[in-house]
Amino acid sequence: MLIAHAGKAPKVDPAAWVAPDATICGDVTIGAGTRVLHGARLIGEAGGVIAVGRECIVMENAVVRAGPRHACSIGDNCLIGPSAHVTGAALEEQVFVATGAAVFHGARLGRGAEVRVGAVVHLRTRLEAGAMVPIGWVAVGDPARILPPDQHEAIWAVQAPLNFPLFVYGFDRDTPDLMVQVTRRLSGLLAAHAGDVETS
């Protein structure tokens, strides 16, 4: 399903294929030879831009998102695995994001990087070309430190100064009633979908 959002309609190369139950919404461009499989969602929110290169595979139930503060680009010959989540990140060519992995806002993944099953690349993290995040591990920082999930304190020491709520939502972590402010802003932003129009 192709949906125009905020005045922008998806652009799908004629040599690409999008499953009929996938959703492509907003300012999204999909390159030749790319395949977007069943249940995948590519959503450019309120001016957020998504560019997917040539011969990419976006597998079942994967989610790729961009917002007005964080565009998302996926280079040629990338594979986004089932139920993976990529939001507001830049992936160079030949990147592999495995099943259930998550890549967050402002992350940059170099050519041929691998994010294995259930792994996380946190916000504002830079993975060098060819880097690999093992199954279930966390990459955080610039340059990335790649740590096992049981090292929460070490992960948090790098992650805390990156200030997720400020970078992603525009509110400092110390904002009173932070979640009220975040959800109120998101609710207003997401209300714009009421004007969406299906284009196919």
Side-chain angles (χ1 to χ4, degrees), residues 83-100:
S83 301
H85 184 96
V86 177
T87 184
L91 282 58
E92 293 183 2
E93 60 278 350
Q94 300 178 43
V95 170
F96 174 49
V97 178
T99 300

Side-chain angles (χ1 to χ4, degrees), residues 83-183:
S83 301
H85 184 96
V86 177
T87 184
L91 282 58
E92 293 183 2
E93 60 278 350
Q94 300 178 43
V95 170
F96 174 49
V97 178
T99 300
V103 180
F104 284 94
H105 310 76
R108 292 167 292 158
L109 282 62
R111 183 180 195 270
E114 292 185 30
V115 183
R116 296 203 172 155
V117 174
V120 174
V121 178
H122 224 292
L123 80 154
R124 300 166 71 179
T125 293
R126 179 174 51 89
L127 277 183
E128 297 289 342
M132 185 270 295
V133 184
I135 293 171
W137 283 40
V138 177
V140 61
D142 182 1
R145 291 186 61 199
I146 299 172
L147 299 163
D150 65 352
Q151 303 243 344
H152 175 75
E153 295 306 319
I155 293 166
W156 186 244
V158 179
Q159 181 186 346
L162 300 177
N163 203 339
F164 187 98
L166 182 62
F167 188 73
V168 175
Y169 302 116
F171 294 104
D172 190 73
R173 184 176 309 284
D174 297 329
T175 301
D177 296 322
L178 175 61
M179 289 310 298
V180 171
Q181 301 304 318
V182 167
T183 58

